[in-house]
Amino acid sequence: MATTDTIVAIATAPGDAAIAVTRLSGADAVAIAARCFRGARDPLESGSHRILFGSFVVGADAGGRMATSTGATAPAATPLDTVLLSIFLSPHSYTGEDIVEISSHGGPAVPRVILETLIGAGARPARPGEFTERAYRNGKLDLAQAEAVASIVRARSERSLRAAHATLGGDLSRRIEALDAELVGLLAEVESRLDFPGDVRESADVAAFAARCDASAAALREWIARLPSARRREEGVRVAILGAPNVGKSSLLNALLGYDRAIVDESPGTTRDTIEASIWLDGMEIRLTDTAGLRQATDPVERLGVERTERAAAAADLTILVRDCTRRDAGAAESQRLMGATKGPVIVAWNKSDLERRGPATTAAAEVETVAVRPGGVDTLVAALRAALPRVLGESVAVDLPATSARQEALLIDAAAALERAAGQLRVEDPESVAYDLAAVDLTEARRALGETVGRGVDDAVVAAIFARFCVGK
Ligand code: GDP
């Protein structure tokens, strides 16, 4: 894989924005930028500036060079934007190569023109994750840290951001190294006994080895067990808003969001599609899905909406079941059916509690009364959501885990299983029958799996697959 060419990508999200950043990395980064930007005072030269304002001039002269500030510019070279160039010279940069970061105005046009001009001047469009891949290949980050970069971008809560930062800072790598150091010691002991398997004096040691394997496996299992809640923190908590048509689901969503995101209508069945929007609660992204009404749908479009509703219900970590205070006895059967489709806690919101109540009043613990159309009318619901969060996240242990990717989780599971097998080989009644050779194989396998979490012994295809999941410009 050639890593000598100079790559370029827009690093910021597309769309209207005040600022966009385009990134160039490679041996020719400064030279290529120098062909495309004219300095405010001086021409841009390698090593001469760290940060530079310049007016960006589109179109180079015939020789591929930009006219300097004093010389005449080519006819096409009309300044299009004034940009800030931040220059990081190798090895003091993210990738370890020369980097030029171009901060320009945002929006669809400016960064595109900059990108195309830089490509015209000799840069190659970067593949997804290629900047971070170069950082990895140049020894700036290990694989666990590189994956943490993706987690930082994806993080949907303060805690998962902290976890990703911890991994970027080397927390996961240090945990793995500590576990590995223990396994290296164990493996040395086990291998030293390969030649004297039946040594009776060693039987007490064997039990201790088995216990050490068990202890390491248990530490891994505890880590693995807490990953689903850590992942939920990374992905945000998914909340489905369910209920019969016209009970006020869209109004509740709007009230929670504090602005009109969903279309509210008086006729039943108006919210045909699911609508997603997020609120931020206690440092955590709450991803709300407003669903179509759940009555028997007759027309095909509405039926589609109902199917989506059922899917949203099944995928949600938490459900808000909205019911109508004015028709308390209505929709009980439907509600029951719905509850069957959900997993996780259900909060029943008795909405329209400002109106005359009809039907039996049953307000149980997980039930709140709301007025979607009145300021402060959903405070009870927000409080109930907040109270339900710890249960959804399963946060009984306060200690933060370093961010762990799905790839790393699978490897941790492999390592734990191998350690449990090793313990099994060592835990035998008769010391003479201890299969040290098999235990050594299992310990080696555990070390391999642990090592791969931080990139040891990982082949190129795996590395490429990891970076392919990154966004372009990262
Ligand atoms: P959905 O079909 O369940 O999404 O229900 P909507 O949010 O579209 O609301 C249906 C109707 O009930 C609208 O006219 C809302 O203004 C009204 N509505 C919703 N919540 C309340 C409430 O708490 N009190 C009163 N009085 N009206 C409400």
Side-chain angles (χ1 to χ4, degrees):
M1 194 174 303
T3 54
T4 49
D5 51 354
T6 296
I7 52 172
V8 63
I10 301 168
T12 41
D16 290 353
I19 285 170
V21 174
T22 305
R23 223 183 204 180
L24 263 176
S25 179
D28 295 331
V30 178
I32 290 172
R35 278 177 222 144
C36 304
F37 300 95
R38 190 172 59 191
R41 260 174 249 106
D42 309 304
L44 178 58
E45 275 162 23
S46 181
S48 60
H49 305 277
R50 293 280 155 143
I51 292 184
L52 194 96
F53 280 105
S55 66
F56 167 61
V57 184
V58 67
D61 66 14
R65 260 178 301 276
M66 217 52 251
T68 63
S69 52
T70 50
T73 55
T78 326
L80 279 194
D81 197 9
T82 300
V83 302
L84 172 70
L85 301 188
S86 308
I87 300 173
F88 307 86
L89 296 178
S90 173
H92 307 290
S93 76
Y94 181 66
T95 56
E97 306 168 334
D98 282 356
I99 284 188
V100 180
E101 280 187 4
I102 301 123
S103 306
S104 66
H105 282 107
V110 176
R112 273 256 54 101
V113 174
I114 291 178
L115 180 72
E116 276 158 22
T117 305
L118 291 167
I119 291 169
R124 165 174 74 70
R127 291 189 302 270
E130 198 171 0
F131 292 91
T132 309
E133 182 175 352
R134 287 188 172 193
Y136 166 67
R137 293 195 189 280
N138 290 330
K140 285 273 169 179
L141 304 167
D142 68 25
L143 204 56
Q145 290 169 314
E147 286 182 272
V149 172
S151 298
I152 285 176
V153 178
R154 270 201 312 265
R156 292 188 131 73
S157 75
E158 235 171 85
R159 280 189 67 173
S160 65
L161 187 57
R162 269 208 297 273
H165 252 290
T167 303
L168 186 60
D171 252 26
L172 186 132
S173 312
R174 277 190 292 276
R175 262 171 187 252
I176 295 290
E177 293 313 330
L179 274 162
D180 190 51
E182 164 72 354
L183 299 197
V184 169
L186 265 169
L187 191 58
E189 299 271 16
V190 166
E191 280 178 339
S192 73
R193 280 158 181 77
L194 279 174
D195 298 331
F196 314 101
D199 195 331
V200 184
R201 286 168 305 154
E202 312 283 6
S203 60
D205 288 358
V206 181
F209 296 160
R212 281 167 65 186
C213 288
D214 277 334
S216 291
L220 281 171
R221 289 288 178 201
E222 202 223 281
W223 183 350
I224 295 158
R226 286 166 51 208
L227 288 176
S229 72
R231 188 146 306 132
R232 208 157 300 137
R233 277 202 294 274
E234 190 169 285
E235 291 167 359
V237 174
R238 279 159 305 187
V239 175
I241 304 177
L242 303 183
N246 229 24
V247 293
K249 297 181 298 300
S250 306
S251 306
L252 272 178
L253 175 73
N254 288 339
L256 286 170
L257 295 175
Y259 65 94
D260 284 359
R261 171 76 173 78
I263 310 145
V264 181
D265 200 296
E266 302 247 9
S267 65
T270 41
T271 313
R272 285 194 168 150
D273 215 331
T274 53
I275 292 175
E276 285 195 35
S278 293
I279 57 172
W280 196 257
L281 199 62
D282 295 341
M284 179 83 213
E285 187 183 12
I286 311 292
R287 302 163 70 183
L288 301 161
T289 305
D290 178 19
T291 62
L294 273 162
R295 60 161 190 194
Q296 290 309 90
T298 40
D299 84 278
V301 179
E302 203 168 310
R303 205 171 314 127
L304 237 149
V306 172
E307 271 169 36
R308 285 223 184 92
T309 300
E310 282 166 356
R311 241 176 297 141
D317 301 308
L318 192 151
T319 303
I320 299 172
L321 180 63
V322 187
R323 297 192 61 186
D324 189 338
C325 267
T326 64
R327 304 170 66 223
R328 280 180 172 270
D329 39 5
E334 249 177 21
S335 300
Q336 279 305 319
R337 193 170 61 81
L338 266 178
M339 307 276 258
T342 61
K343 64 176 186 344
V346 177
I347 298 169
V348 179
W350 286 101
N351 193 39
K352 307 194 187 183
S353 65
D354 55 323
L355 301 178
E356 192 188 339
R357 289 149 212 234
R358 297 224 174 80
T362 56
T363 306
E367 303 192 356
V368 293
E369 293 195 347
T370 54
V371 188
V373 294
R374 189 187 280 165
V378 294
D379 290 355
T380 48
L381 181 57
V382 172
L385 275 172
R386 189 170 266 146
L389 279 187
R391 252 198 305 156
V392 175
L393 296 169
E395 288 173 283
S396 48
V397 194
V399 186
D400 278 323
L401 280 176
T404 311
S405 69
R407 180 191 76 86
Q408 290 161 335
E409 180 178 0
L411 289 165
L412 295 180
I413 292 171
D414 284 354
L419 281 171
E420 282 154 4
R421 286 197 304 275
Q425 306 291 359
L426 296 167
R427 206 186 302 104
V428 288
E429 294 284 313
D430 176 8
E432 286 197 29
S433 66
V434 172
Y436 286 109
D437 51 346
L438 295 181
V441 168
D442 290 329
L443 283 169
T444 305
E445 163 64 13
R447 287 200 61 213
R448 178 204 59 79
L450 285 183
E452 278 193 25
T453 60
V454 291
R456 259 204 308 275
V458 175
D459 66 36
D460 258 12
V462 174
V463 172
I466 289 168
F467 290 108
R469 284 199 302 273
F470 278 54
C471 44
V472 172
K474 196 63 243 175

